[in-house]
Amino acid sequence: MSLQRFSALSLIRRAFGRHESWQPQWRKAQPKAAYDAVIVGGGGHGLGAAYYLAREHGLTNIAVLEKGWIGGGNTGRNTTIIRSNYLFNESAALYDHSVKLWESLSQTLNYNVMFSPRGVMMLAHTVHDIQVFKRHVHANRCNGVDNEWLEPEEAKAFCPPLNIGQDIRYPVMGAALQRRGGTARHDAVAWGYARAADALGVDIIENCEVTAIRRDAAGALESLETSRGPIRTRKVGVSAAGHTSVVMAMAGVRVPLESYPLQALVSEPVKPAFPCVVMSNTIHAYISQSDKGELVIGAGTDAYTSYTQRGALHINTHTLDAICELFPNFRRMRMLRNWGGIVDVTPDRSPIIAKTPVPGLYVNCGWGTGGFKATPGAAHVFAWTIARDEPHPINAPFTIERFRDGYLIDEAAAAAVAH
Amino acid sequence: MLVIVCPYCGKRPEIEFSYGGQAHIARPAQPAELDDQAWAQFLYMRDNTKGLYAERWRHSHGCGRFFNALRDTTTDHFAATYKTGEPRPDAPPIATPVTP
């Protein structure tokens, strides 16, 4: 299927035809009997992996299987924050690879993903926060990742709604700012990758759930059973987020994951009132304003593992308590919707992008509460890993075996909170 | 918010409790004899079941005691709670959720 390119000229030209000549952005593909490779999971990570497999590795006889609709899982449920100010070298390399791809993604895909590097500011409320964030600033700079320390007055200048008064429970004592960080339109990422992958010949198959993984006598991957019939393939990349444990169990592989509900909420839409992204790990507030005008607010995970895509209200009210203290002008805002997504969390809070003990089976998982920002970078190195049967240097440390060998990438301890 | 039946104190709201992860994982009797693979299994690998899951809870803002629960992770309905040391109950019938 040839791609109808989007441009100002094509928009004007088709306006004369009352915009009736636009093609669907991707085909409704039917599953074939066999593929060279199959990606399980049609979120941003899976669709992106399919796109890079087709574009950079020449694998075009491939499919993406999605049990629901594309982008309907965590890709459509997150708070769209993009940043790369992680402490450890391995993480900084992976997340900054992603940020660099974000910067040109709209041009690459010919699809406006609305990447907006408006700056991500992380607030410090304790002496410990100050020390940890300054350590992050220095470590990031050593890795070529921008990050700078702001005093409370500078933080207020960057984000005027911020309350830096001393009369709140956890006053702002400073902030770390990554100016290259920001947000993007989450749906557009899934749609843009789907459209671009489809144009390269990738079959995107929705409403197709994998029900079994078959292995040959030697233990290598042989075929998939799905709700839309069997599919023969020797390579499968699992990119199933919160359901990774379920899919991997079909191949007899245990992964160090637990799936938790992570909640988010949005307010009623208002005029532009909030210029950047503000995160407070210590008192658990994550807030930005979408181009539509809604305040997009990230809450925490529920305490228990679950697959229900909903959680308890006290998680949201806890976050709103913090938002109201930090931004008193939002105290009378009304919240419009809240929802949950199921996130797969590893013990060290770093992802796994790796080969598995089963030949031909690859996994991209464990993104926990922060996978959206990594979408292009993770998809890019995951495609490399699948195509070459070996990891890209960037994802080489992110194996399952690191838990056996003791090489944890312990961002959990580095940040001391979910992130 | 979940309502959890502590086997010692009775029905209480979720915020009185803290979660303790998968239940019935016994610490190896001879840790020194474990190889790295077995040690990683004990430390890090969890079943993460979609369905009926045996898990630990602690009534941290109540009696302070640990206990176990059987919960369906697709609905969050508790099938049973039982004291630590007692065996996992045979999959009891899941109580019909009470809707107000």
Side-chain angles (χ1 to χ4, degrees):
Chain A
M1 182 176 170
S2 66
L3 191 74
Q4 281 187 328
R5 288 190 67 80
F6 295 134
S7 67
L9 200 64
S10 72
L11 199 64
I12 294 165
R13 190 177 322 125
R14 289 180 200 281
F16 287 110
R18 299 180 172 204
H19 290 296
E20 284 170 359
S21 58
W22 293 105
Q23 303 287 327
Q25 297 191 15
W26 57 89
R27 297 161 291 138
K28 285 266 174 239
Q30 299 300 315
K32 291 195 271 190
Y35 288 101
D36 293 340
V38 169
I39 303 288
V40 178
H45 282 246
L47 294 162
Y51 168 72
Y52 292 115
L53 274 174
R55 197 191 73 169
E56 301 202 347
H57 304 284
L59 276 171
T60 53
N61 181 32
I62 62 176
V64 178
L65 308 185
E66 166 54 48
K67 76 170 174 177
W69 65 95
I70 68 160
N74 292 349
T75 299
R77 291 166 183 271
N78 66 86
T79 53
T80 77
I81 298 173
I82 295 165
R83 61 184 177 91
S84 60
N85 52 354
Y86 283 74
L87 181 66
F88 295 114
N89 300 348
E90 297 88 344
S91 317
L94 176 59
Y95 288 100
D96 212 50
H97 179 53
S98 198
V99 168
K100 285 173 185 159
L101 289 173
W102 275 114
E103 286 165 352
S104 57
L105 195 61
S106 293
Q107 288 75 24
T108 307
L109 299 178
N110 181 233
Y111 204 97
N112 186 4
V113 299
M114 296 167 71
F115 175 60
S116 165
R118 59 185 68 179
V120 173
M121 195 165 76
M122 301 172 80
L123 302 179
H125 302 276
T126 63
V127 172
H128 175 72
D129 280 354
I130 293 172
Q131 291 166 346
V132 167
F133 284 179
K134 285 189 174 173
R135 184 182 174 208
H136 272 71
V137 167
H138 297 312
N140 289 158
R141 287 183 166 191
C142 287
N143 279 318
V145 175
D146 75 303
N147 199 357
E148 60 194 272
W149 176 255
L150 302 182
E151 294 299 327
E153 294 74 23
E154 296 171 307
K156 170 95 179 160
F158 188 73
C159 181
L162 181 66
N163 176 13
I164 55 167
Q166 294 299 304
D167 56 345
I168 59 174
R169 177 65 184 85
Y170 294 101
V172 175
M173 296 175 74
L177 171 65
Q178 186 179 23
R179 294 183 190 270
R180 283 161 67 230
T183 62
R185 172 81 199 280
H186 49 4
D187 294 324
V189 178
W191 299 337
Y193 272 126
R195 171 172 168 271
D198 177 87
L200 294 169
V202 176
D203 281 356
I204 294 158
I205 304 161
E206 296 172 273
N207 300 308
C208 182
E209 183 175 359
V210 173
T211 52
I213 295 175
R214 306 262 180 248
R215 298 163 63 180
D216 63 17
L221 210 126
E222 191 173 53
S223 67
L224 298 173
E225 300 288 328
T226 78
S227 57
R228 295 179 66 178
I231 295 173
R232 273 182 290 112
T233 181
R234 306 294 287 185
K235 286 190 174 199
V236 169
V238 176
S239 195
H243 277 73
T244 302
S245 297
V246 177
V247 178
M248 296 301 280
M250 294 176 193
V253 177
R254 286 189 102 194
V255 276
L257 296 174
E258 291 187 291
S259 296
Y260 290 91
L262 174 68
Q263 297 189 66
L265 59 162
V266 293
S267 73
E268 57 191 344
V270 293
K271 285 183 185 177
F274 201 77
C276 58
V277 180
V278 172
M279 304 173 53
S280 171
N281 294 344
T282 302
I283 59 175
H284 243 118
Y286 306 84
I287 181 168
S288 64
Q289 187 175 21
S290 73
D291 290 355
K292 201 160 61 176
E294 300 156 327
L295 296 178
V296 182
I297 297 168
T301 51
D302 282 81
Y304 46 84
T305 63
S306 179
Y307 288 85
T308 57
Q309 291 190 325
R310 61 175 180 265
L313 205 55
H314 69 271
I315 302 291
N316 293 324
T317 55
H318 175 66
T319 289
L320 290 175
D321 287 346
I323 298 278
C324 290
E325 285 243 299
L326 292 174
F327 308 104
N329 54 341
F330 294 148
R331 278 188 180 161
R332 293 168 71 183
M333 290 282 281
R334 282 171 296 194
M335 294 300 133
L336 210 56
R337 303 188 301 277
N338 68 309
W339 63 89
I342 302 305
V343 298
D344 44 325
V345 177
T346 58
D348 62 0
R349 302 298 188 276
S350 286
I352 295 166
I353 316 168
K355 297 168 70 171
T356 70
V358 176
L361 183 66
Y362 308 86
V363 68
N364 172 19
C365 66
W367 288 97
T369 60
F372 178 76
K373 67 174 78 70
T375 303
H380 183 254
V381 295
F382 191 39
W384 174 296
T385 307
I386 295 170
R388 304 191 179 207
D389 195 39
E390 63 180 25
H392 188 283
I394 289 177
N395 68 308
F398 294 90
T399 62
I400 303 177
E401 290 75 26
R402 73 176 187 264
F403 295 98
R404 179 196 65 198
D405 300 337
Y407 291 105
L408 302 195
I409 303 160
D410 205 351
E411 293 289 344
V417 290
H419 59 273
Chain B
M1 193 182 299
L2 305 178
V3 173
I4 301 174
V5 180
C6 169
Y8 304 96
C9 311
K11 223 185 247 190
R12 298 294 176 89
E14 176 196 332
I15 48 170
E16 291 189 13
F17 297 84
S18 36
Y19 187 64
Q22 186 174 351
H24 305 297
I25 298 175
R27 185 178 169 85
Q30 303 292 339
E33 290 172 13
L34 254 52
D35 62 8
D36 290 352
Q37 192 63 43
W39 191 238
Q41 289 287 327
F42 164 70
L43 280 180
Y44 299 122
M45 301 294 174
R46 298 292 178 263
D47 290 341
N48 200 21
T49 310
K50 186 177 184 182
L52 215 53
Y53 196 44
E55 60 193 11
R56 301 188 307 165
W57 286 85
R58 180 171 178 246
H59 195 184
S60 33
H61 298 286
C63 62
R65 282 193 267 200
F66 275 98
F67 60 92
N68 293 334
L70 268 186
R71 182 175 54 92
D72 186 338
T73 59
T74 62
T75 60
D76 291 341
H77 294 139
F78 284 90
T81 54
Y82 52 103
K83 293 176 183 175
T84 301
E86 292 177 3
R88 173 180 167 148
D90 297 328
I94 297 201
T96 319
V98 183
T99 43

